[in-house]
Amino acid sequence: MNPVLEPLFRTVRATHPKADLRLIERAYDMAAHHHRDQKRKSGDPYITHPLAVATILAELGTDDETLCAALLHDTVEDTAYGLDELRADFGDTIASLVDGVTKLDKVKFGDAAQAETVRKMVVAMSRDIRVLIIKLADRLHNMRTMRYLPEHKRHQKSRETLEIFAPLAHRLGMNTIKWELEDLAFAMLYPKRYDEIARMVSERAPRRDLFLQEVIEKVSGDLREARIRAVVKGRPKHYYSVYQKMIARDVAFDDIYDLVGIRVLVDTVRDCYAALGTIHARWNPVPGRFKDYIAMPKFNMYQSLHTTVIGPEGKPVELQIRTHAMHHRAEYGVAAHWKYKEEVGGPGPVGKVKPGSDMAWLRQLLDWQKETSDPGEFLESLRFDLSVSEVYVFTPKGQVIALPEGGTPVDFAYAVHTEVGHRCIGARVNGRLVPLESRLGNGDTVEIFTSKSPDAGPSRDWLKFVKSGRARNKIRQWFSKERRETAIEAGKEAIGRAMRKQGLPLQRLMSGEALLALARDLRYPDVSALYAAVGEGHVAAQTVVQKLVASIGGVESAEEDIAETSLPTRLRGRPRGGGGAGVVVAGDADVWVRLSKCCTPVPGDEIVGFVTRGHGVSVHRADCTNIQQLRSQPDRLVEVSWSPSDDSVFLVAIQVEALDRPRLLSDVTRTLSDQHVNILSASVTTSRDRVAVSKFTFEMGDPKHLGHVLKAVRGIQGVYDVYRVSG
């Protein structure tokens, strides 16, 4: 046997004893032969990648066909070994798995290649879910070795991982892979935020570990007394999930991090409920925080009891109680199916979960890809569908329908049947009439009223509130087929309205040539198709107007350049000369000089002077954005140089980026005042992803002091970046 395969075979024997090792070795030999002259970006032989992917899958306990496909997954794409040869050597199943994960040719598909590749993968995984499992393992190993790629590629792959592959792993219940993919992508996309959270976690780890140990000992002791055999351990905290909770719950890091997570693993379902009773007997549960996913499993086969109790010192403790089999499924999801194949038909609630039974969303994806011709739109629908949580509602006959969170009766109607959606005119939720845009909640019973009229159809307004990709696609399709003329008129009107709102010249912008050129740029055959696209909501009227304005050279601007009249102001009211500003003009020392506020130059910066009309010389940094416009008037540019005196004062602008928390602003301003900085202006904005961006402008006599100021601000808890800005 090949010694290189020994670690892989050791794992396979442990997780899948009945696997055909000879077949796996043959697949490895074939892959090694065809990849023999190839190297990875890291310089390693290429075969190390398929071997690593196969090892990840072996740890998940997948079957031998999946492992063979993993070893061969890049041969068809990257070597001369064709799909027909592979089919002859290894059979139809392995060949179709390899074909499912093979990327489409970029030359043939151009920019749409990535979207079309994902679409192809969706079709393949609807036939065999193992295609996606191989793709996830492939992406995981690529993310682990991402540092060898150029930066733009790293960012593109990481964003794709966060938006598509990690949510797909979640859909399949493969939490170990999901967590690692998220943390790797988070560290790649936002290294400073990642490092700050890692630093805050490590600072609090010792105190938290003591508390965790105390809780584990008390829970273990109670379960021993109750004669319940159990393994009790702390739940690992993943940096990306900490960050996501800060955003979702809108709370500070400390509030989340104080929440201790405990996992209790027992032998049987009966023990799960007995353990829950024992824990609730010691600590009071938090109302509304108990979830029974054993009786009602999640869409990805996940089963567990969740409860939050008020533990020692009044701190909340989150507990998950499940059997060992449920735990294995929660970690490995669909991939665990092969290991637990024999158990699936067994008794008890575990037997209710069958791989594929939860794959209704896969069939839904398949429908979308048939209905959506535009690959970009398909990818957008997929991203949205993967990013939202689900609510479960009932039909009057008790059938369960899953909808995206925030779904409406219209989404429900389209989920039942396309025609029910098109003819929907009203809805009753839990016996009460409600508007069609009402949000549905878990457990609602929904009844839809339909119109008998032959002309019945959806309303364009529905597009403003429907949440599911299916409903959106069906409504758009209906308008595309049935209402083109109306859409053209609506589009024309929307563009005209957007222009009037901005006071733009309608006749000049709406000329046939300009619109036709724009339609061609946006890949529409004629102007009517462009109007129809706007009317149907595919393209925003505002976007069309902006592109039209740009195509004729932008809106005419005022003669005098704005940067000079509005931004620079007199510094300290000095009447003449450049001494106060610390700058002298070549050839004339007695010229009124002022430092421009748009880029706040300080000694050490490369600078340029610009002669303004009636306001002396304004000084800009050489890399200031406004200088690009000023260079069009070279006769007004003058040479300037630094000559600071003891009474020179300079304006400095800095930007502070931090993970938002209470008292952050007061901590930053206190630190600045401790550094004897006189703040002239400050602005703070907080984004939805819990990032606070603060800008401060202050006066400073000695620019060398700036380094100390930046260092002091960087030491504040939660601050992950601080730098000087110039615009």
Side-chain angles (χ1 to χ4, degrees), residues 39 206 232 245 269 452 593:
K39 291 262 191 287
V232 184
K245 278 183 181 170
V269 174
K452 298 283 189 287
V593 177

Side-chain angles (χ1 to χ4, degrees), residues 126-319:
S126 67
R127 294 196 202 106
D128 192 333
I129 198 67
R130 291 176 293 179
V131 167
L132 181 52
I133 294 170
I134 296 168
K135 188 69 192 171
L136 289 172
D138 172 48
R139 176 53 61 103
L140 178 57
H141 185 249
N142 281 335
M143 288 300 294
R144 286 174 181 173
T145 54
M146 190 67 79
R147 61 187 176 280
Y148 299 104
L149 290 182
E151 188 177 9
H152 74 280
K153 264 270 199 272
R154 292 204 302 265
H155 280 197
Q156 180 207 330
K157 296 277 185 200
S158 300
R159 198 161 294 288
E160 192 179 271
T161 298
L162 271 188
E163 291 176 355
I164 294 174
F165 290 102
L168 278 171
H170 175 58
R171 284 280 163 137
L172 299 188
M174 298 168 71
N175 286 323
T176 43
I177 287 192
K178 172 203 163 205
W179 286 323
E180 192 177 348
L181 284 175
E182 284 177 342
D183 276 358
L184 289 167
F186 181 41
M188 201 67 71
L189 282 173
Y190 306 107
K192 290 175 177 171
R193 295 182 201 181
Y194 180 89
D195 290 344
E196 183 60 25
I197 287 178
R199 185 176 73 83
M200 293 194 292
V201 166
S202 64
E203 275 177 4
R204 289 160 179 73
R207 190 183 76 234
R208 193 171 182 276
D209 289 348
L210 284 173
F211 180 74
L212 199 61
Q213 203 49 48
E214 183 191 344
V215 175
I216 289 173
E217 281 169 12
K218 286 184 175 168
V219 171
S220 302
D222 287 353
L223 293 174
R224 259 198 314 276
E225 275 178 35
R227 303 231 175 131
I228 299 169
R229 209 161 55 171
V231 177
V232 184
K233 50 190 179 182
R235 229 165 60 233
K237 283 281 178 185
H238 301 278
Y239 297 149
Y240 185 70
S241 68
V242 169
Y243 181 54
Q244 285 300 96
K245 278 183 181 170
M246 286 169 69
I247 297 168
R249 296 189 192 169
D250 198 25
V251 290
F253 172 83
D254 280 343
D255 295 339
I256 287 163
Y257 205 70
D258 281 347
L259 195 64
V260 167
I262 298 284
R263 191 168 282 145
V264 180
L265 303 182
V266 294
D267 294 336
T268 65
V269 174
R270 182 171 294 188
D271 286 348
C272 290
Y273 291 101
L276 178 75
T278 307
I279 290 161
H280 282 183
R282 174 182 278 275
W283 290 309
N284 288 335
V286 176
R289 293 299 300 273
F290 169 66
K291 302 256 181 357
D292 186 345
Y293 293 120
I294 292 180
M296 286 191 72
K298 280 191 183 181
F299 58 82
N300 56 11
M301 306 193 294
Y302 176 89
Q303 288 184 289
S304 204
L305 295 177
H306 286 198
T307 185
T308 303
V309 298
I310 302 299
E313 302 168 32
K315 286 184 180 174
V317 178
E318 272 185 352
L319 293 113

Side-chain angles (χ1 to χ4, degrees), residues 407-424:
T408 64
V410 175
D411 293 291
F412 175 85
Y414 278 103
V416 172
H417 195 278
T418 305
E419 278 307 305
V420 175
H422 286 342
R423 295 179 170 278
C424 168

Side-chain angles (χ1 to χ4, degrees), residues 449-721:
F449 303 120
T450 53
S451 167
K452 298 283 189 287
S453 162
D455 299 328
S459 158
R460 189 174 274 106
D461 290 340
W462 292 358
L463 286 169
K464 293 175 186 168
F465 59 75
V466 291
K467 285 285 185 279
S468 63
R470 178 184 171 84
R472 195 175 299 280
N473 278 342
K474 293 291 186 188
I475 295 166
R476 279 183 180 158
Q477 243 182 350
W478 193 86
F479 280 112
S480 303
K481 286 179 186 163
E482 308 285 327
R483 297 288 184 273
R484 186 173 165 80
E485 292 304 315
T486 321
I488 290 171
E489 282 308 308
K492 203 170 186 176
E493 205 176 296
I495 293 172
R497 204 164 45 242
M499 286 183 184
R500 280 194 294 276
K501 205 171 177 182
Q502 293 182 35
L504 297 170
L506 267 170
Q507 272 73 27
R508 186 173 169 204
L509 286 172
M510 296 282 272
S511 69
E513 298 81 50
L515 270 170
L516 185 60
L518 178 60
R520 295 267 158 80
D521 280 353
L522 294 172
R523 306 268 173 87
Y524 292 107
D526 52 31
V527 176
S528 298
L530 176 63
Y531 285 149
V534 174
E536 288 162 8
H538 295 313
V539 181
Q542 190 56 42
T543 308
V544 173
V545 173
Q546 281 168 355
K547 287 185 185 292
L548 275 175
V549 169
S551 70
I552 61 160
V555 183
E556 288 74 23
S557 51
E559 284 298 310
E560 179 65 346
D561 100 83
I562 293 163
E564 300 312 317
T565 55
S566 63
L567 284 166
T569 58
R570 299 181 192 182
L571 192 67
R572 293 276 175 168
R574 299 188 182 281
R576 305 204 57 74
V583 174
V584 290
V585 178
D588 192 349
D590 193 32
V591 174
W592 178 14
V593 177
R594 60 218 167 92
L595 302 176
S596 112
K597 276 189 184 172
C598 57
C599 56
T600 58
V602 298
D605 292 340
E606 209 178 313
I607 48 174
V608 177
F610 183 79
V611 181
T612 63
R613 293 184 182 133
H615 294 283
V617 171
S618 90
V619 177
H620 293 261
R621 280 168 58 162
D623 58 358
C624 174
T625 48
N626 288 322
I627 275 292
Q628 308 310 319
Q629 298 165 20
L630 308 183
R631 288 194 194 282
S632 60
Q633 303 171 60
D635 52 320
R636 291 170 68 183
L637 293 174
V638 291
E639 205 178 307
V640 287
S641 58
W642 290 109
S643 176
S645 60
D646 289 345
D647 63 344
S648 296
V649 178
F650 307 99
L651 280 182
V652 177
I654 66 167
Q655 180 155 312
V656 181
E657 293 174 8
L659 300 170
D660 193 27
R661 63 176 174 82
R663 301 188 56 77
L664 175 69
L665 183 60
S666 70
D667 286 353
V668 175
T669 49
R670 191 180 67 248
T671 302
L672 289 174
S673 66
D674 289 349
Q675 293 293 316
H676 311 294
V677 161
N678 179 27
I679 300 171
L680 297 179
S681 70
S683 70
V684 183
T685 54
T686 305
S687 61
R688 283 179 61 197
D689 55 357
R690 295 288 298 181
V691 170
V693 177
S694 322
K695 290 182 182 171
F696 297 93
T697 306
F698 48 82
E699 290 179 330
M700 183 173 274
D702 179 6
K704 294 192 187 94
H705 183 46
L706 183 61
H708 299 294
V709 173
L710 295 180
K711 190 177 176 186
V713 174
R714 200 171 277 119
I716 297 169
Q717 183 194 309
V719 173
Y720 62 81
D721 207 2

Side-chain angles (χ1 to χ4, degrees), residues 427-469:
R428 192 184 274 149
V429 176
N430 302 331
R432 289 169 53 213
L433 289 170
V434 297
L436 286 178
E437 62 268 29
S438 311
R439 292 173 62 131
L440 299 174
N442 264 325
D444 285 347
T445 300
V446 187
E447 187 182 348
I448 297 293
F449 303 120
T450 53
S451 167
K452 298 283 189 287
S453 162
D455 299 328
S459 158
R460 189 174 274 106
D461 290 340
W462 292 358
L463 286 169
K464 293 175 186 168
F465 59 75
V466 291
K467 285 285 185 279
S468 63

